[in-house]
Every structure is written in structure tokens, then in C-alpha cells.
Amino acid sequence: MTSEPDDANASFASLGLRPELLGVLSDLGYEEPTPIQSATIPVLIEGRDLLGQAATGTGKTAAFALPILEHLAAGDRGKSPTSLVLVPTRELALQVSQAFHGYGRAQGARLVAVYGGAPARHQVDALRRGVDVVVATPGRALDLSARGALVLDSIRTLVLDEADEMLDMGFIEDIESIIALTPTSRQTVLFSATMPKRIDKLASKHLRDPQRISI
């Protein structure tokens, strides 16, 4: 099923977000959701898999970050992450992680960005202190998993952001290996600016009856 946003008058409150998130969005000056946010946030809060076509700059980071934060449990959440976001580059890992920090501050959300080109030791230490959401490049995620520092057996939501770029960079084998380490019961979310056949193939293999949304 493919859908396109048609509600230009949606508000963040109408999307089903908790008061803490609404308060943070108001403080950040977010007045109303973008089309991708209006279309995807309710679907992801429901727990459905999603295949979204959206370019950078459409607000897709908040579109998947806010539902992840909506599902964060109160109190002690343990040390293992419950959400993993895979991105193609270090720069995007830092950008997405900063967005999560901003949106999740009222909930005390614990975020770690892991990527190559930086010492792994600091990333390992951060993971071992406990984390809710990991934003990672595929190679470093697989490396830290092999070391036993990144535990993926509690992942409830897996996001593949800019999937076409990750495939262009040759990450498909790493992505497949990472997916195999996560529970089959997870929610899987795939965003891509383009939808070549190999993206459809990846989605068909790993997403369950996904909602398809195109912006």
C-alpha cells in the first residue's frame, strides 16, 4: 500500500505524541509537522514497518526519531539499546544523533553515535554505560558488535536511513549481517531518496507488509 500525505492541517498533538515530546517541539519552535512527518509518525507509533521515499531536508529524521522516543519506557531501561539507526556517513551519524538528543532531552534519552574514523574506545565506553538509541555507520556497528560492545538482541526498531546511499557505498553485506543480529520481531523502517530495484529487493526481504509513503 502506498500513501501520500493529504492533511495540510495536521498538528503534532494530532499525531499521538506524548506531552513531553510536544513540549520539546514547542520549545524548539516546531509549529506543525512536515508532510513526511504527518504521514509517517502515526504509522510508526502503531509499530508498522515502513518504506519511505523522501529526500534530505524533508524532515525525515524527526519522522522516525519521534516515534522511537514515543516508545521509550519510563524508569530504568537497562543497558542494551532498543533502537538502531544505520546511516551512510559519520556526518549524518552526528547530525541524527544531535537531533535525537534535542528531541529526547525531557525523557533523558541516552544516545550514542558510532562511526569509523574515530577511536572505538570512547564509543565502547559509552555503549557499556547504557544506551537507548544507537546511530551508527554499518562498518563500525558490525565491528563493535563483533567485539561484544554493541548488543543487538534487544532491538525493537531498526531504521535504515538513506538506504540507497548506503548501498552505493558498498554496505549491503554489512547491513545484511547487522539485520541478522537483530530480533525478527523488530519494526523495520527504510528511508531512501530513490527506489531502485535493489532497494525494493532489500525491503521485500526484511520488511513485513510495510506502509509505503512517498514525498
Side-chain angles (χ1 to χ4, degrees):
M1 178 179 180
T2 302
S3 67
E4 297 185 3
D6 57 7
D7 185 359
N9 299 312
S11 67
F12 282 108
S14 72
L15 301 181
L17 295 170
R18 61 171 70 183
E20 302 99 304
L21 288 173
L22 295 175
V24 167
L25 292 171
S26 178
D27 290 344
L28 291 172
Y30 285 44
E31 296 181 356
E32 60 184 33
T34 66
I36 188 70
Q37 293 161 6
S38 295
T40 61
I41 288 173
V43 173
L44 296 183
I45 288 177
E46 284 180 15
R48 289 194 58 184
D49 286 4
L50 184 142
L51 176 60
Q53 183 172 3
T56 300
T58 55
K60 63 181 170 61
T61 299
F64 61 75
L66 294 173
I68 285 173
L69 294 168
E70 176 68 25
H71 288 144
L72 274 190
D76 182 10
R77 294 190 285 266
K79 288 193 172 184
S80 296
T82 52
S83 296
L84 173 65
V85 181
L86 293 179
V87 297
T89 65
R90 168 182 179 165
E91 290 74 21
L92 188 56
L94 290 169
Q95 178 184 324
V96 171
S97 178
Q98 288 167 358
F100 265 104
H101 273 294
Y103 303 142
R105 63 193 184 197
Q107 299 165 266
R110 301 168 299 169
L111 281 298
V112 174
V114 301
Y115 44 82
R121 179 170 55 85
H122 300 301
Q123 298 172 3
V124 169
D125 289 344
L127 290 169
R128 288 179 175 164
R129 285 194 295 270
V131 60
D132 300 309
V133 182
V134 174
V135 183
T137 52
R140 182 53 62 95
L142 202 55
D143 174 55
L144 294 178
S145 176
R147 299 184 190 203
L150 177 57
V151 179
L152 300 176
D153 55 11
S154 296
I155 294 297
R156 294 199 300 264
T157 301
L158 171 65
V159 178
L160 307 178
D161 190 20
E162 300 200 3
D164 51 353
E165 186 172 344
M166 286 196 286
L167 267 58
D168 286 344
M169 295 172 70
F171 284 133
I172 184 61
E173 290 186 3
D174 287 351
I175 290 170
E176 292 280 6
S177 297
I178 292 165
I179 291 174
L181 295 171
T182 64
T184 57
S185 58
R186 71 184 182 276
Q187 177 186 36
T188 309
V189 182
L190 189 156
F191 278 107
S192 184
T194 61
M195 287 290 167
K197 288 183 178 180
R198 56 197 179 137
I199 293 292
D200 265 331
K201 183 178 178 181
L202 184 68
S204 297
K205 184 175 179 181
H206 296 294
L207 276 64
R208 293 170 299 181
D209 187 29
Q211 177 79 33
R212 291 174 176 258
I213 293 172
S214 178
I215 300 299

